[in-house]
Amino acid sequence: MTAIYSVLHLLVDGMCALAMFGRFLPRGNGHLYILLYNFCAFSLQMPFGVALDALCGSGKERRGEVPFLFAAAGVLCTISGVFTHPVVLGIGNALFHVGGGVGTIREDAAKGQKGRWLGIFVAPGALGLYLGTLSGKNGSWNLWIPGTGILMLMLCARAVYQLKRRDRHSRKGSLRESSLQENGNGEEADGGQASKGIAAVAACCMAVVILRSYVGMAVAFPWKTGILAGTLAVLAVAGGKIAGGFTAARYGLPGTTVISLGLAGICFLLSSSWLPGLAALFLFNMTMPITLYWMVCSVPEMPGFAFGFLTFALFLGFLPAYFGLIPAAGGNLAGCAGSIVSLLALAAGYRLTGRDR
């Protein structure tokens, strides 16, 4: 299912970008449409995630079905949103991300992947947004919409088949999903200590995700002109997210954080050249699956809330750019500062929760 969710992630984000840049923004009211879409696409993931967690409850037999139903509803809303309004488009995006994200989280835990598959799921979104934006701005959105929609529906049909086959196998044995608890804080604690630990993780992860969103808007590379440079940049972003999940699973969250963000800060200072600029994008985005996995491990019975909580942080990081509060110069310094502050925030969180040991 993770492979299906990952491809759907690319297509859903691509469809949204196609519709926004090819259909809605050229009509006028673009400033309002962007705010409405981003609010629905990112902020609504938290309440949708809470609803998903409540519907899943404690019944393991529903933990694969409910996330898929949310993801499928998101696909249908995304397709219909192309022809209706950015609000519908954003709601579809939010529903899909919560459903696909929680489905991937559950599968990652069941297979003992320790966050590897989270990076695989989140990475294609950047590529989908880039390709969709490029096609929408070039005026070819109406050529891509039908085929993309049909492919999305075909993948949903394939997912239904996968779930039915999984149900047949699950009758012969139970699916273990204890990995989230095993990879969480890992120690018995009273309610007060556990609450403090969760609050520390949430605060640190939120700060880092806000900074990541802000830096993505603030940093501009002089070499990033043309399709080739744009493609290399988006591949660096996607590759960093995948590498972050695999590296953290192999070497641990603290070590991966220190090395990736420390090197990212140095590379951002030199990012006026294309090679260190690409390295900065790659290294800086390695923390995306790290923050998601750490947050999920802290609240293992609420993966939908954890996923939505961090996407709300992405929306908060988008607001400075929307209101024109990003300085026109000093992008490389903003990237370096964002990397160092993110490193310090996560290091403090690891220290407070004992993760550094």
Side-chain angles (χ1 to χ4, degrees):
M1 289 293 290
T2 296
I4 295 175
Y5 284 139
S6 299
V7 177
L8 278 173
H9 190 186
L10 185 151
L11 297 174
V12 167
D13 280 4
M15 178 82 86
C16 290
L18 272 171
M20 289 297 294
F21 288 96
R23 180 175 173 83
F24 294 118
L25 298 185
R27 294 180 176 180
N29 295 322
H31 206 56
L32 176 61
Y33 282 163
I34 288 175
L35 180 62
L36 289 173
Y37 170 78
N38 280 286
F39 173 79
C40 294
F42 295 102
S43 295
L44 293 185
Q45 289 190 44
M46 186 158 57
F48 287 159
V50 171
L52 191 155
D53 292 335
L55 289 172
C56 283
S58 60
K60 290 185 177 181
E61 70 278 359
R62 305 183 66 189
R63 291 186 176 182
E65 297 174 2
V66 175
F68 170 71
L69 291 176
F70 271 66
V75 168
L76 295 176
C77 285
T78 299
I79 294 173
S80 61
V82 172
F83 306 101
T84 54
H85 196 275
V87 168
V88 180
L89 198 69
I91 291 173
N93 189 285
L95 284 169
F96 169 77
H97 278 77
V98 167
V102 172
T104 300
I105 289 167
R106 294 293 187 192
E107 195 165 44
D108 181 272
K111 301 294 185 181
Q113 292 298 311
K114 299 182 180 180
R116 291 180 179 90
W117 289 358
L118 304 188
I120 292 175
F121 171 74
V122 299
L127 183 59
L129 286 173
Y130 175 72
L131 294 175
T133 301
L134 195 65
S135 300
K137 288 182 176 180
N138 289 338
S140 58
W141 73 274
N142 55 337
L143 298 178
W144 291 100
I145 289 292
T148 304
I150 291 171
L151 183 56
M152 290 162 65
L153 294 175
M154 290 175 63
L155 285 169
C156 286
R158 174 64 183 178
V160 171
Y161 171 77
Q162 290 280 90
L163 287 172
K164 288 184 177 179
R165 188 173 67 173
R166 177 183 297 178
D167 287 341
R168 288 196 296 268
H169 288 294
S170 66
R171 294 190 187 101
K172 302 177 181 178
S174 61
L175 179 65
R176 295 186 60 191
E177 292 193 11
S178 60
S179 298
L180 289 178
Q181 280 91 346
E182 292 172 359
N183 290 290
N185 292 331
E187 295 180 358
E188 292 291 335
D190 61 35
Q193 291 175 328
S195 298
K196 290 179 182 179
I198 293 171
V201 173
C204 293
C205 288
M206 173 172 266
V208 171
V209 174
I210 290 173
L211 281 171
R212 187 191 305 131
S213 180
Y214 175 82
V215 169
M217 300 284 185
V219 177
F221 303 104
W223 48 266
K224 192 180 172 184
T225 56
I227 294 178
L228 177 59
T231 302
L232 289 175
V234 76
L235 289 177
V237 170
K241 294 173 182 177
I242 295 174
F246 278 82
T247 306
R250 176 65 178 85
Y251 298 105
L253 274 64
T256 303
T257 298
V258 170
I259 293 174
S260 63
L261 288 177
L263 291 177
I266 297 172
C267 290
F268 269 120
L269 291 176
L270 307 172
S271 61
S272 56
S273 299
W274 69 273
L275 189 57
L278 290 174
L281 288 173
F282 181 92
L283 293 163
F284 189 68
N285 280 278
M286 286 179 68
T287 60
M288 187 167 190
I290 290 175
T291 51
L292 176 57
Y293 182 65
W294 194 25
M295 187 68 198
V296 167
C297 287
S298 300
V299 285
E301 293 304 318
M302 296 187 292
F305 166 77
F307 197 95
F309 178 79
L310 295 185
T311 58
F312 178 68
L314 284 174
F315 177 72
L316 295 179
F318 149 81
L319 292 177
Y322 180 79
F323 290 110
L325 302 179
I326 289 181
N332 55 345
L333 294 177
C336 178
S339 299
I340 300 304
V341 174
S342 297
L343 171 57
L344 294 175
L346 287 175
Y350 296 147
R351 183 74 174 178
L352 288 172
T353 59
R355 188 94 198 193
D356 58 335
R357 297 190 295 273

